């Protein structure tokens, strides 16, 4: 299938306060965000016209920017409205939404105090990250690249620069015939996949790594709420790679991946089972629930 480049599509993109034709949503090559990775972004999904946990995503976007030392010049209310506007303007109901904020062109040096902050929001139809492979379970290779210490990088920020590690890990996994990589952190503990958090079913309880050096995903927190609603025990803790063999089921959770069963990590095999199936269906139902009801029935 031929890839349609992202700069040559029909539609509209919200750019610094107004909708512009898709092909005209451009920035200059001498943008600070491009050279020095001073950019933060979000990944959201609209289901049946409603963006799932929109306010949580918007708040994380604002917080990600502050962690990189800049303030996005729009309020949470304005960003929420812009996200909804761009989905509607493109005639989409089930869609992926990508807000991104970056430092502009006023200064091109490590110091960037005088740069203007820009915000753009695009949206497109994007079925599940793992496509047709998803339901039979994906295969993860153990990455050589590690999630860094929080004093080495702003790890709580959804910062563009951190994805350099993810792309390297994912390309290595793909070259070895896997769909994605499972990364350890700098201590050697299990961290996350390149764009999703990881869960293990052990003795009927749900175990997931403590997110102290990687993103505490909104999907992750939603899945934990759903599991507790089902009276499952949920354990956040340090998980060592040697423990993974004890898991009876493994799955990923993230906006693009949604809930995706895992059938292999390195040489370990897993069979997608009942817990994964139940939480996957609960999540599919939750994302199509009215926003106020989502906050009431599965608070995160
Ligand atoms: N970790 C990484 C590295 C990610 O890119 C994502 C996707 N944003 C997640 C975890 C999951 O986060 P969320 O559920 O909020 O999409």
């Amino acid at each position: 299938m031929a890839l349609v480049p992202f700069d040559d599509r029909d539609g509209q993109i919200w750019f610094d306060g107004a909708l512009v034709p898709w092909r005209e949503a451009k920035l200059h090559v001498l943008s600070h965000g491009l050279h020095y990775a001073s950019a933060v972004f979000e990944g959201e999904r609209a289901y049946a016209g409603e963006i799932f946990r929109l306010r949580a995503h918007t708040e994380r976007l604002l917080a990600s920017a502050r962690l990189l030392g800049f303030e996005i010049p729009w309020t949470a209310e304005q960003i929420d409205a812009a996200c909804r506007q761009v989905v509607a303007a493109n005639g989409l109901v089930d869609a992926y939404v990508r807000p991104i904020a970056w430092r502009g062109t006023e200064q091109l040096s490590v110091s960037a105090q005088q740069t203007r902050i820009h915000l753009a929001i695009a949206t497109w139809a994007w079925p599940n990250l793992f496509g047709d492979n998803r339901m039979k379970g994906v295969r993860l290779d153990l990455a050589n690249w590690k999630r860094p210490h929080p004093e080495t990088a702003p790890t709580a920020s959804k910062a563009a620069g951190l994805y350099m590690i993810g792309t390297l890990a994912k390309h290595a996994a793909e070259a070895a015939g896997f769909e994605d990589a499972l990364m350890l952190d700098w201590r050697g503990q299990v961290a996350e996949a390149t764009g999703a958090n990881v869960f293990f079913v052990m003795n009927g309880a749900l175990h997931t790594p403590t997110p102290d050096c990687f993103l505490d995903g909104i999907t992750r927190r939603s899945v934990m709420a759903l599991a507790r609603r089902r009276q499952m025990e949920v354990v956040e803790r340090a998980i060592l790679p040697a423990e993974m063999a004890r898991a009876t089921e493994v799955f990923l959770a993230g906006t693009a991946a949604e809930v995706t069963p895992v059938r292999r990590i390195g040489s370990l095999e897993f069979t997608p089972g009942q817990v994964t199936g139940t939480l996957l269906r609960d999540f599919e139902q939750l994302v199509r629930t009215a926003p106020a009801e989502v906050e009431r029935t599965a608070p995160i």
Side-chain angles (χ1 to χ4, degrees), residues 157-292:
S157 173
K158 194 168 165 62
L162 292 168
Y163 285 83
M164 173 180 68
I165 306 167
T167 297
L168 286 166
K170 181 128 184 167
H171 284 183
E174 287 176 342
F178 293 79
E179 279 87 37
D180 200 357
L182 182 68
M183 286 182 286
L184 306 181
D185 68 15
W186 89 99
R187 294 162 293 203
Q189 297 170 4
V190 176
E192 59 169 358
T194 61
N197 294 114
V198 66
F199 285 89
F200 301 90
V201 180
M202 293 173 171
N203 289 327
L206 204 54
H207 293 248
T208 192
T210 308
D212 57 8
C213 62
F214 55 87
L215 222 54
D216 179 5
I218 292 163
T219 317
R220 173 187 186 276
R221 299 209 301 271
S222 302
V223 165
M224 290 165 70
L226 291 171
R228 290 190 177 114
R229 207 169 78 177
R230 292 239 174 225
Q231 270 74 52
M232 281 185 71
E233 190 191 350
V234 179
V235 189
E236 281 184 278
R237 64 180 180 86
I239 298 175
L240 293 171
E243 294 180 64
M244 296 193 301
R246 272 180 52 213
T248 47
E249 298 177 40
V250 183
F251 64 88
L252 300 179
T255 296
E258 300 167 293
V259 173
T260 291
V262 172
R263 70 181 153 105
R264 190 183 183 110
I265 301 176
S267 58
L268 298 173
E269 306 257 9
F270 304 94
T271 309
Q274 204 194 327
V275 174
T276 305
T278 299
L279 291 171
L280 192 153
R281 282 187 296 275
D282 283 358
F283 184 72
E284 282 181 345
Q285 204 172 59
L286 187 70
V287 296
R288 292 180 184 278
T289 302

